[in-house]
Amino acid sequence: MTGYRTILFERKDAIARITLNRPDKLNSFTREMLTELHAAIAEVAADPSLRLLILAGSGRAFGAGQDLREAGAIGGPAAVREQLSQFYDPVMRGLAGLEIPTIAAVNGIAAGASCGLALSCDLIVAARSATFLMAFARIGLVPDGGATYWLPRRIGLTRALGMTLLAEPITAEQAERWGLIWECVDDEALAPRIEALAQQLANGPTRAYALAKRAFQGSAAHNFEQQLVLEAELQALAAGTADSREGIAAFLEKRAPKFHGH
């Protein structure tokens, strides 16, 4: 898909960047934006040359959740089910299912489903002025966009319920202390920190990253013995990669490895 109107999609070397681009509306979601996000994520998934995805917001916010002014945004039960199943769920499922590492660069507010979008990424790095808000209770709704899955896994049930029931903003510093995000940095340091992490991960063992993600994603449904079996299966796959052979050779030769992502 080309000619995106509500997002920016860029490729540079092995790094893809998707930027939510409705800054005058705090990058709030519309059906058009969700459709474009889904298409862009599918482009990333289909391109074997890409080894990392950055997700960001333009202007002064990462995202303010659903644009409640969009016609039909909040309707009856059938309309809500359609909105989630046809527009939100494909985006969250596609993002969480990417095999390459994903980083959310959060500036300003990440509210509602926009917070869920960030939580679907592997790493979240936030500017110190950023805030995270489960705003659904303010309008009598339940968290969606994958938030009820990710929140208790990242910060535990007590804090997940507190964020939801109180609907109070959480600062980036508090989010870092809780383990909601990977790192909080000064506002002016956000862009260079994201770039440094992107370069590090894009030059890493991409297949090993993908297999590690699969291991952690499977762990919630497994008992200990089942997880040991999965680890053995995935480690066998990793051991067969060229990057593993290069990593071991580099270790023995006391040099930095040169990974190629396969």
Side-chain angles (χ1 to χ4, degrees):
M1 180 175 178
T2 57
Y4 293 115
R5 287 166 24 100
T6 65
I7 66 171
L8 303 175
F9 182 39
E10 308 163 86
R11 293 181 178 91
K12 184 178 180 182
D13 300 324
I15 298 172
R17 186 183 188 98
I18 298 173
T19 304
L20 310 180
N21 194 36
R22 299 183 70 226
D24 57 323
K25 303 296 182 182
L26 299 182
N27 301 318
S28 54
F29 289 127
T30 61
R31 293 187 175 192
E32 181 181 25
M33 177 184 276
L34 291 164
T35 299
E36 292 186 351
L37 264 176
H38 184 217
I41 291 167
E43 283 195 56
V44 172
D47 188 343
S49 71
L50 295 175
R51 298 172 65 181
L52 182 111
L53 171 64
I54 299 169
L55 192 62
S58 62
R60 57 192 179 92
F62 179 79
Q66 172 64 42
D67 186 343
L68 296 178
R69 293 175 177 81
E70 182 183 36
I74 303 295
V80 168
R81 287 194 182 93
E82 177 187 13
Q83 178 87 340
L84 291 176
S85 64
Q86 293 191 20
F87 295 95
Y88 279 96
D89 294 354
V91 170
M92 306 307 179
R93 190 178 294 116
L95 182 58
L98 286 176
E99 293 195 338
I100 61 174
T102 55
I103 303 174
V106 176
N107 63 301
I109 186 75
S114 298
C115 185
L117 184 71
L119 291 171
S120 295
C121 291
D122 301 319
L123 297 178
I124 303 173
V125 180
R128 201 167 302 278
S129 62
T131 54
F132 299 83
L133 174 63
M134 283 288 106
F136 298 91
R138 295 184 178 186
I139 54 173
L141 293 177
V142 175
D144 57 28
T148 60
Y149 180 88
W150 295 116
L151 275 178
R153 284 166 170 78
R154 285 182 180 259
I155 60 175
L157 181 59
T158 299
R159 285 171 170 162
L161 281 171
M163 280 189 70
T164 300
L165 302 182
L166 299 175
E168 295 175 350
I170 302 301
T171 67
E173 292 179 342
Q174 187 173 2
E176 183 184 51
R177 288 195 300 270
W178 282 6
L180 181 67
I181 66 174
W182 173 248
E183 192 174 13
C184 166
V185 299
D186 291 338
D187 288 28
E188 62 273 15
L190 181 61
R193 181 58 176 149
I194 291 294
E195 179 64 21
L197 284 172
Q199 291 298 329
Q200 177 183 339
L201 292 171
N203 290 317
T206 308
R207 288 300 302 149
Y209 292 155
L211 295 170
K213 289 174 65 168
R214 193 186 307 176
F216 283 112
Q217 289 166 355
S219 67
H222 291 163
N223 62 33
F224 183 62
E225 293 299 326
Q226 291 170 326
Q227 191 65 13
L228 289 177
V229 171
L230 178 61
E231 286 179 352
E233 293 173 352
L234 297 177
Q235 194 70 295
L237 293 174
T241 64
D243 278 347
S244 176
R245 293 190 292 272
E246 163 62 10
I248 293 170
F251 177 81
L252 296 174
E253 297 166 12
K254 298 182 179 180
R255 60 174 174 82
K258 295 181 179 179
F259 295 122
H260 297 286
H262 53 78

